[in-house]
Amino acid sequence: MTKKNGLSPRSIAAQAGRRPDEENGAVVPPVHVSATFQRDANYELPAGFLYGRCGNPTVAAAEEAIARLEGAHAARLFGTGMAAIAALFETVPCGGHVVLPQVMYFANHPLIAGLAESRGFEISVIAPADPDAGKASVVPGKTDILWIETPANPTWDIVDIAQAAEIAHSAGAILGVDGTAAPPCTTRALDFGADIVFHSATKYLNGHSDLTGGVLAFREGNDRFEAVETLRTRFGSIMAPFEAWLLMRGMRTLFIRYEKASENALAFAQTFEGHRRVEEVLYPGLPSHKGHQIAVKQMTGGFGGMLSLIVKGSGEEARKVASSVQLMIPATSLGGVESLIEHRKTIEGDDSPIPDNLLRISIGIEHVDDLIADMRGALAQIG
Ligand SMILES: *Cc1c(COP(=O)(O)O)cnc(C)c1O
């Protein structure tokens, strides 16, 4: 992965937002907290910044770093991931149609269903990673967005992005990819033909569980891009400057964090595959995972730290495992340096198709032996 200008994405990430200060030589960029920007003698805006709700230099620096990492025309940051997804689906025209995977970040379903109802567009929900279902679901001239998530929460199904892009484009639709679990250090969705890639920046991009944010990176600076940017200004859903600064700090270690988490997760997955209290380990890095072959092609910088354990036992026993860990933290979210575990059904509710005995684990960068010992101890609690 080398960019046209010769710098590898690894180097771009390591110096995310770097702009040596001409006044004082500071290596680390400041946080621009100003809510408003002064006009010059010609009554012009010297750097194009008008007001904090429209744009901010610190936010713009983080967006530029993400756009470079993704090979995008531009990226736009929002205060949360859901605000970014909401802005995108607000652009679906009345009478239009979108295709969503059944397995995806659970909160997307009510968000997009609500928008579909109020704005008057239709939704088809399909099995993820099923190209035939994808082909059958798009309607030429009507489908606006084919949305995929890869790896998909919380089964970590892998969707072939290039194939999905072909299906979307054959119907005149765009392909939007939720790549939260596969940041650009491992997958550059736009290179595989996606039109827009989304990340919850709360997760791997930041990596320290100390901010919420979302980003949309666009292949082209087209009408859709303009529409999303306008909506962000109208809603006031832009990321705040301090969060953008923290995000840049986090992104500088994206590659090494993701590599370490991937290495840990693979060893962890291999250890518990075949454990007598584990029915199945869902991890795209395992050859037994049904998406493994596509993951090898598509996740070139590691399979990530996200995996799920299907406990051999009841939902009650799975919850007991999740509450018996000593090192892993029983909390939601993912992609941080600290390992988190959660009984996913508790979060998603009774309507969710997620098995009651599924534990979602976000493997961090601790020593893997400690993580393995922690899980062994927790599984021993159910005998
Ligand atoms: C967390 C998450 C989101 C939502 O992002 P927020 O920052 O929590 O609003 C969307 N998609 C995926 C895959 C996520 O993990």
Side-chain angles (χ1 to χ4, degrees):
M1 287 204 290
T2 310
K3 283 268 298 177
K4 283 192 204 79
N5 61 14
L7 276 185
S8 105
R10 185 179 289 270
S11 304
I12 294 168
Q15 299 197 4
R18 172 175 172 255
R19 233 174 255 175
D21 194 312
E22 285 175 15
E23 233 168 74
N24 55 38
V27 169
V28 176
V31 194
H32 288 284
V33 294
S34 189
T36 190
F37 300 86
Q38 184 175 324
R39 290 176 182 272
D40 64 16
N42 300 318
Y43 210 66
E44 301 288 342
L45 297 163
F49 294 106
L50 166 75
Y51 179 61
R53 181 155 45 76
C54 319
N56 166 281
T58 306
V59 176
E63 289 171 343
E64 195 188 313
I66 295 169
R68 289 182 76 193
L69 288 175
E70 295 284 8
H73 162 78
R76 288 295 175 263
L77 279 163
F78 293 76
T80 66
M82 295 314 280
I85 293 176
L88 177 61
F89 282 86
E90 279 277 351
T91 65
V92 178
C94 181
H97 173 236
V98 301
V99 179
L100 308 174
Q102 198 234 333
V103 178
M104 66 170 172
Y105 184 68
F106 76 115
N108 282 343
H109 284 293
L111 169 74
I112 300 169
L115 285 173
E117 203 175 306
S118 60
R119 295 189 48 80
F121 63 81
E122 286 168 36
I123 296 178
S124 297
V125 177
I126 62 167
D130 179 351
D132 293 332
K135 276 181 208 145
S137 68
V138 292
V139 187
K142 186 171 161 84
T143 304
D144 187 45
I145 301 176
L146 171 60
W147 183 256
I148 62 171
E149 180 175 317
T150 186
N153 249 290
T155 56
W156 318 110
D157 281 13
I158 302 291
V159 185
D160 187 324
I161 301 172
Q163 195 174 48
E166 235 178 84
I167 293 169
H169 296 158
S170 72
I174 62 165
L175 178 70
V177 178
D178 184 338
T180 297
C185 56
T186 195
T187 301
R188 300 212 318 176
L190 303 182
D191 287 351
F192 289 100
D195 299 281
I196 297 176
V197 57
F198 160 83
H199 300 278
S200 166
T202 313
K203 317 289 172 54
Y204 281 109
L205 288 181
N206 176 56
H208 294 78
S209 308
D210 54 8
L211 63 84
T212 62
V215 67
L216 292 167
F218 297 78
R219 171 206 293 289
E220 289 172 27
N222 51 18
D223 289 352
R224 178 93 55 175
F225 168 71
E226 304 270 331
V228 165
E229 184 164 55
T230 300
L231 285 168
R232 186 181 70 166
T233 297
R234 281 192 194 146
F235 293 160
S237 50
I238 189 171
M239 177 176 268
F242 184 60
E243 272 66 16
W245 186 89
L246 281 175
L247 175 59
M248 275 192 286
R249 186 171 70 168
M251 280 197 300
R252 292 181 196 127
T253 55
L254 173 64
F255 281 75
I256 57 170
R257 281 188 284 105
Y258 198 79
E259 282 160 6
K260 189 65 196 171
S262 298
E263 181 191 317
N264 280 355
L266 183 60
F268 187 96
Q270 285 166 339
T271 302
F272 291 102
E273 191 172 44
H275 185 282
R276 65 186 186 83
R277 290 316 304 255
V278 176
E279 201 171 287
E280 198 180 356
V281 179
L282 303 174
Y283 183 61
L286 290 176
S288 60
H289 190 273
K290 61 180 190 282
H292 181 66
Q293 288 309 323
I294 304 164
V296 167
K297 178 185 84 163
Q298 214 167 260
M299 301 180 79
T300 51
F303 301 106
M306 295 311 301
L307 56 86
S308 294
L309 294 190
I310 312 276
V311 173
K312 206 176 270 175
S314 63
E316 203 47 57
E317 286 175 306
R319 256 189 305 277
K320 177 138 194 229
V321 174
S323 57
S324 301
V325 290
Q326 304 291 315
L327 175 63
M328 286 185 252
I329 303 165
T332 196
S333 200
L334 63 95
V337 291
E338 67 288 304
S339 295
L340 305 179
I341 182 168
E342 79 177 345
H343 177 248
R344 195 62 190 164
K345 188 89 172 191
T346 301
I347 300 297
E348 300 200 9
D350 289 341
D351 293 344
S352 162
I354 298 311
D356 201 18
N357 52 348
L358 181 146
L359 296 175
R360 188 182 86 167
I361 302 175
S362 173
I363 296 284
I365 64 169
E366 300 93 340
H367 198 297
V368 71
D369 292 352
D370 293 335
L371 295 171
I372 289 171
D374 194 29
M375 180 49 71
R376 278 196 209 284
L379 285 167
Q381 294 301 308
I382 58 168

